[in-house]
Amino acid sequence: MHRRLVGGVGELRETDVSKRAFNFCAGPAALPEAVLQRAQAELLDWNGKGLSVMEMSHRSDDYVAIAEKAEQDLRDLLAIPSNYKVLFLQGGASQQFAEIALNLLPEDGTADYIDTGIWSKKSIEEARRYGNVNVAASAKPYDYFAIPGQNEWQLTKDAAYVHYASNETIGGLQFDWIPETGDVPLVVDMSSDILSRELDVSKFGLIYAGAQKNIGPSGLVVVIVREDLLGRARSSTPTMLNYKVAADNGSMYNTPATFSWYLSGLVFEWLKEQGGVAAMEQRNRAKKELLYGAIDASSLYSNPIAVNARSWMNVPFRLADERLDKAFLAGADARGLLNLKGHRSVGGMRASIYNAVGLDGVQALVAYMAEFEKEHA
Amino acid sequence: MHRRLVGGVGELRETDVSKRAFNFCAGPAALPEAVLQRAQAELLDWNGKGLSVMEMSHRSDDYVAIAEKAEQDLRDLLAIPSNYKVLFLQGGASQQFAEIALNLLPEDGTADYIDTGIWSKKSIEEARRYGNVNVAASAKPYDYFAIPGQNEWQLTKDAAYVHYASNETIGGLQFDWIPETGDVPLVVDMSSDILSRELDVSKFGLIYAGAQKNIGPSGLVVVIVREDLLGRARSSTPTMLNYKVAADNGSMYNTPATFSWYLSGLVFEWLKEQGGVAAMEQRNRAKKELLYGAIDASSLYSNPIAVNARSWMNVPFRLADERLDKAFLAGADARGLLNLKGHRSVGGMRASIYNAVGLDGVQALVAYMAEFEKEHA
């Protein structure tokens, strides 16, 4: 038990950090407790400077050092080659859907997209507003329960790029392989699985990820882009959406989301302390094996996704009798197992088990699932 | 003195809130200490829910209540009429420079812009990329030390809108009047003076403000837009930059900057506790009178701006001998009077005295200025 006295607006009260719940939210999602504690400790006074990180000029030496360390730690974690720029932008992955087309798709060009679910469909819809989009493969014939192998893809010769989502947060579908596209730049929405397992960045032209799953707070999107892809934006691109402008200005063409960037830096620091991405992969493998194992061994719970396409991060599951859903969620809430309700378009349950959800969280969930099944057998 | 024990990543240390400095940064800027204390208290556990606001789904009942309360408090503070939408967006004012043109300027239309300094010039440059811009008036003939009166403006008949910046953060130039544009919508960049004094929102078609001065952390921009101006976006507008899409989705077309929105809500709550915008106006008037009074009474310090155009928020001043600048800044730093260095394009000093900088901060600054002048007489 760990109590401390803290001040509020016109009040004093106690925070009991032992009351932290297990949070299975799909995003904004759980953050490492150590990161929140550090942010809490520094919130009014960063490094004895007498002000909060939120109150610092983004051009001050102190803040620039915070920002640069965050970028360097991310580069270390993913072994990002030096010919890639790392951008800390705003607007989330949804803004990237347009930004990618505006920056990389010539008005008379074609981009190939792979449809594996709701998020890739959204990226396709937005890209279609800016040019010719070829859906080179779709999981639709598999009811979005499996990912078509590359032998089934109809890629365009000389496409501007090939786009896919490595993990579909809602469907719970994840690539366990990286497509081969030769000289055509590969663009990936990695919002919900970046930093969760090892990654060869050099296979990609551009990687983007909304922060609010495995990186930090919402309101930040990280873009990792190969330098030769900069400078291709069409003339109508808003200045703030032009990757080259962002790259040339160190993501500070205007004031960036300074606090989110700082907090992401704390997450990167925490990831390094944990042993980096290789260690997270090991831990995430154990977590998903435990959870899918429990689902597969049960006669109450089920997950429909093809085994090789099951997401390590977002695990949707249904109860055999959906009339039990409400009782399942109420019991989970009572045990501090929060946000297990599935997305409205899918129903059932969904456990999002990003980096910040430890094995202990999954163990608590699996124990509860077994108990609930026994009670309702 | 107020000490507490707080935990960090792998360490415990003390935060001494009596060590908070006076922060005159132009932005990201000082936040009310009570707001930071409240955020600190809740950082790991909001309202006993066992999670941080940063870890909540933006679609959860708890978060939606936080977001809606923030909007309502802002509506109360500014008496925003019901035919205006309040949007909480990303990308800062700089993204708005394009967004305003994309949403409000027809491809064959003309928009009028008033040039009063660096920020209005940036908005003009960006708008020119999307259509015909008429600079209806410029402060250039006045060396940007005064604002041309409306009798000098050359407005376009049937302009799509008239745009101005109510306060130029760098030049220290502020409108103390609201332009009259009849039926032509008036659009204003109020990034650095929103909420600092009373305001008749009904005079405007659209008001926008980057958060990081008088609202909250960076990474958030508030847009207050009259409903009849929605739905005019040109077809090439990225979905995320379309005001109607944002309005129809309660600023949650995708995940918004949830923590910045929450923290802005705490600032709005604090403003209401302080007596609202009328009380802030009174306090800000006292602050600026004290500071300009000290400058005008001195033979060392000077401010070049026409008296009726002097900014209440950003007070640039020069020392008669610029060789003293370094000593002035070092002495200020030593006294916890931070970030007084002027913008590189202007030189000298600049004290930004937003809402969160109290009269005590300005008193401390003025006392130091007098002491420094005496020492260097």
Side-chain angles (χ1 to χ4, degrees):
Chain A
M1 185 93 150
H2 181 171
R3 284 186 169 272
R4 65 179 86 98
L5 201 62
V6 285
V9 177
E11 56 177 333
L12 277 178
R13 50 177 153 143
E14 285 188 327
T15 296
D16 177 356
V17 294
S18 72
K19 284 195 186 142
R20 292 266 302 165
F22 289 116
N23 181 12
F24 299 97
C25 192
L31 287 162
E33 192 167 303
V35 164
L36 291 172
Q37 284 175 337
R38 168 82 168 270
Q40 185 179 49
E42 305 182 333
L43 204 72
L44 277 88
D45 183 11
W46 181 85
N47 232 3
K49 300 293 176 123
L51 38 76
S52 177
V53 171
M54 279 184 244
E55 301 174 301
M56 286 181 187
S57 167
H58 54 297
R59 309 222 183 265
S60 65
D61 293 345
D62 284 336
Y63 187 77
V64 168
I66 289 171
E68 286 179 352
K69 180 175 189 310
E71 178 181 334
Q72 189 56 53
D73 282 346
L74 180 59
R75 285 185 173 276
D76 295 347
L77 284 164
L78 293 175
I80 299 173
S82 60
N83 63 325
Y84 286 75
K85 294 286 187 187
V86 178
L87 310 177
F88 291 82
L89 306 177
Q90 299 180 52
S94 294
Q95 189 164 309
Q96 290 305 309
F97 297 163
E99 214 156 321
I100 286 161
L102 286 167
N103 279 274
L104 301 180
L105 178 55
E107 302 199 20
D108 57 353
T110 296
D112 284 341
Y113 277 70
I114 313 304
D115 163 31
T116 51
I118 288 172
W119 288 106
S120 38
K121 263 187 255 196
K122 283 191 180 235
S123 65
I124 290 165
E125 278 165 33
E126 188 74 359
R128 281 202 166 121
R129 304 180 58 232
Y130 299 101
N132 196 23
V133 168
N134 168 47
V135 178
S138 173
K140 196 173 180 193
Y142 305 99
D143 290 333
Y144 294 97
F145 294 158
I147 293 171
Q150 193 164 340
N151 59 325
E152 300 174 50
W153 295 16
Q154 306 292 326
L155 294 174
T156 306
K157 191 177 165 324
D158 300 325
Y161 57 87
V162 176
H163 177 283
Y164 76 113
S166 54
N167 183 62
E168 286 280 354
T169 322
I170 294 172
L173 205 68
Q174 186 178 25
F175 278 76
D176 71 345
W177 49 283
I178 295 176
E180 281 294 342
T181 57
D183 289 338
V184 176
L186 186 59
V187 175
V188 64
D189 178 355
M190 218 169 254
S191 294
S192 46
D193 63 355
I194 195 166
L195 293 165
S196 67
R197 54 193 194 191
E198 293 198 82
L199 179 69
D200 182 354
V201 172
S202 73
K203 301 264 190 194
F204 296 88
L206 188 148
I207 297 169
Y208 65 104
Q212 67 273 14
K213 288 117 180 0
N214 265 331
I215 293 179
S218 63
L220 186 76
V221 55
V222 171
V223 175
I224 302 167
V225 55
R226 218 174 55 212
E227 282 172 348
D228 62 288
L229 299 176
L230 299 172
R232 301 181 181 191
R234 57 180 75 179
S235 62
S236 61
T237 307
T239 303
M240 280 290 297
L241 273 60
N242 186 317
Y243 292 138
K244 186 168 192 314
V245 172
D248 288 349
N249 289 280
S251 304
M252 294 195 191
Y253 174 76
N254 76 338
T255 314
T258 53
F259 187 75
S260 303
W261 190 336
Y262 147 80
L263 211 117
S264 302
L266 295 184
V267 171
F268 301 151
E269 207 177 308
W270 175 82
L271 283 169
K272 288 179 99 173
E273 285 176 14
Q274 301 295 305
V277 175
M280 293 319 297
E281 172 165 339
Q282 213 173 356
R283 187 188 296 184
N284 287 328
R285 185 189 302 276
K287 283 155 54 184
K288 67 102 185 174
E289 282 176 358
L290 178 60
L291 184 49
Y292 284 112
I295 291 168
D296 290 345
S298 135
S299 53
L300 180 61
Y301 310 108
S302 65
N303 167 287
I305 307 297
V307 170
N308 74 344
R310 279 175 161 181
S311 170
W312 292 28
M313 294 286 105
N314 310 98
V315 183
F317 59 94
R318 290 180 162 286
L319 276 60
D321 180 352
E322 67 180 26
R323 287 169 303 181
L324 292 176
D325 284 5
K326 227 171 150 175
F328 181 87
L329 287 168
D333 268 6
R335 280 159 186 80
L337 304 166
L338 303 186
N339 298 314
L340 285 163
K341 192 172 180 181
H343 191 271
R344 60 192 182 278
S345 65
V346 174
M349 307 298 148
R350 173 175 48 169
S352 294
I353 49 175
Y354 302 117
N355 285 342
V357 178
L359 185 61
D360 55 343
V362 180
Q363 286 166 337
L365 172 60
V366 165
Y368 167 62
M369 287 167 70
E371 188 189 321
F372 183 88
E373 183 168 5
K374 213 164 150 188
E375 268 173 32
H376 295 83
Chain B
M1 188 93 149
H2 182 170
R3 284 186 168 276
R4 63 179 88 96
L5 202 62
V6 285
V9 178
E11 57 178 330
L12 278 178
R13 51 177 150 143
E14 285 187 330
T15 295
D16 177 355
V17 292
S18 72
K19 285 197 187 138
R20 293 265 301 163
F22 290 114
N23 182 10
F24 298 97
C25 192
L31 288 162
E33 193 168 301
V35 164
L36 291 171
Q37 286 176 336
R38 168 81 169 269
Q40 185 179 50
E42 306 183 334
L43 203 73
L44 276 88
D45 182 10
W46 181 84
N47 233 4
K49 299 293 175 122
L51 39 74
S52 175
V53 170
M54 280 184 245
E55 302 175 300
M56 288 182 186
S57 167
H58 54 298
R59 308 219 183 269
S60 65
D61 293 345
D62 284 335
Y63 188 77
V64 168
I66 289 171
E68 286 179 351
K69 179 174 190 306
E71 179 182 335
Q72 189 56 54
D73 282 345
L74 180 59
R75 284 184 174 277
D76 294 347
L77 284 164
L78 293 175
I80 299 173
S82 60
N83 64 322
Y84 285 75
K85 294 286 188 189
V86 177
L87 310 177
F88 291 83
L89 306 177
Q90 298 180 52
S94 295
Q95 189 164 310
Q96 290 305 308
F97 296 164
E99 215 156 320
I100 286 161
L102 287 166
N103 278 273
L104 300 181
L105 178 56
E107 303 199 21
D108 58 352
T110 295
D112 284 340
Y113 276 71
I114 313 303
D115 163 32
T116 51
I118 288 172
W119 290 106
S120 38
K121 264 187 253 193
K122 283 189 181 238
S123 65
I124 289 166
E125 277 165 34
E126 189 72 0
R128 280 201 168 122
R129 302 180 58 231
Y130 298 101
N132 196 23
V133 167
N134 169 46
V135 178
S138 171
K140 195 172 180 197
Y142 304 100
D143 290 332
Y144 294 98
F145 294 159
I147 294 171
Q150 194 165 340
N151 59 324
E152 301 172 50
W153 295 17
Q154 306 291 328
L155 294 173
T156 306
K157 193 177 164 323
D158 300 325
Y161 56 87
V162 176
H163 177 283
Y164 76 113
S166 55
N167 183 62
E168 286 280 354
T169 320
I170 294 173
L173 206 67
Q174 186 178 24
F175 279 75
D176 71 345
W177 49 282
I178 295 176
E180 280 296 340
T181 57
D183 288 342
V184 175
L186 186 59
V187 175
V188 63
D189 177 354
M190 218 170 254
S191 293
S192 45
D193 63 354
I194 194 167
L195 292 165
S196 67
R197 54 193 194 189
E198 294 199 81
L199 180 68
D200 182 353
V201 172
S202 74
K203 301 265 189 192
F204 296 89
L206 187 149
I207 297 169
Y208 65 104
Q212 67 272 15
K213 288 119 180 354
N214 265 330
I215 294 178
S218 63
L220 185 77
V221 56
V222 171
V223 176
I224 303 167
V225 55
R226 217 173 55 212
E227 282 172 351
D228 61 287
L229 298 176
L230 300 172
R232 301 181 180 190
R234 55 181 76 180
S235 62
S236 61
T237 307
T239 303
M240 280 291 297
L241 273 59
N242 186 318
Y243 292 138
K244 188 171 189 318
V245 172
D248 288 350
N249 289 278
S251 305
M252 293 194 191
Y253 174 77
N254 77 338
T255 314
T258 53
F259 186 75
S260 302
W261 189 336
Y262 147 80
L263 210 115
S264 301
L266 295 185
V267 172
F268 301 150
E269 207 177 309
W270 175 81
L271 283 171
K272 288 177 100 173
E273 284 175 16
Q274 301 296 305
V277 174
M280 294 320 295
E281 173 165 336
Q282 213 173 356
R283 188 188 296 184
N284 287 328
R285 184 189 303 276
K287 283 156 53 185
K288 67 102 185 172
E289 282 176 357
L290 178 60
L291 184 48
Y292 284 112
I295 291 168
D296 290 344
S298 133
S299 52
L300 179 61
Y301 311 108
S302 65
N303 168 286
I305 308 297
V307 169
N308 74 342
R310 280 176 160 180
S311 170
W312 293 28
M313 294 285 105
N314 310 98
V315 182
F317 59 94
R318 291 182 162 284
L319 276 59
D321 180 353
E322 68 180 23
R323 288 169 303 181
L324 292 176
D325 284 6
K326 227 172 152 175
F328 181 88
L329 287 167
D333 269 6
R335 280 160 186 79
L337 304 166
L338 303 186
N339 298 315
L340 284 164
K341 194 174 177 181
H343 191 272
R344 60 190 182 280
S345 66
V346 174
M349 308 297 148
R350 174 176 48 171
S352 294
I353 50 176
Y354 301 118
N355 285 341
V357 177
L359 185 60
D360 55 343
V362 179
Q363 285 165 338
L365 172 59
V366 165
Y368 167 63
M369 288 167 70
E371 190 189 320
F372 184 86
E373 183 168 2
K374 213 164 147 185
E375 269 173 31
H376 295 83

